[in-house]
């Protein structure tokens, strides 16, 4: 997959799935500016976050 297509896919996923995520909103409310708690959830527990991580790995090839 070309770099542009990977970036576009990541953008679409974030627009469709991440914007308005209630879990993200609740974690931000609980932890304030401690983004490591939010990132931990998104990267390790959320299926969409895992998919974005896999797409991101294609950018480093």
């Amino acid at each position: 997959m070309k770099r542009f297509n990977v970036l576009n896919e990541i953008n679409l996923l974030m627009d469709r799935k991440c914007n308005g995520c209630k879990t993200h909103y609740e974690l931000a409310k609980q932890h304030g500016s401690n983004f490591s708690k939010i990132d931990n959830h998104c990267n390790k527990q959320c299926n969409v976050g895992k998919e974005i991580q896999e797409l991101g790995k294609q950018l480093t090839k």
Side-chain angles (χ1 to χ4, degrees):
M1 191 181 288
K2 291 187 177 183
R3 183 176 177 82
F4 175 79
N5 293 339
V6 172
L7 290 170
N8 192 41
E9 186 67 26
I10 290 171
N11 189 39
L12 288 173
L13 277 172
M14 291 182 74
D15 283 346
R16 291 180 184 159
K17 305 285 183 165
C18 297
N19 287 342
C21 175
K22 291 181 183 179
T23 304
H24 186 273
Y25 175 76
E26 288 299 320
L27 287 171
K29 201 167 150 181
Q30 288 175 358
H31 300 289
S33 63
N34 188 351
F35 290 110
S36 64
K37 300 275 186 185
I38 298 167
D39 286 342
N40 184 45
H41 167 78
C42 294
N43 295 337
K44 296 182 180 172
Q45 297 176 11
C46 175
N47 291 332
V48 175
K50 290 177 186 177
E51 189 174 346
I52 291 171
Q53 289 290 317
E54 289 302 313
L55 287 168
K57 289 178 184 176
Q58 293 181 23
L59 296 174
T60 59
K61 291 182 181 178

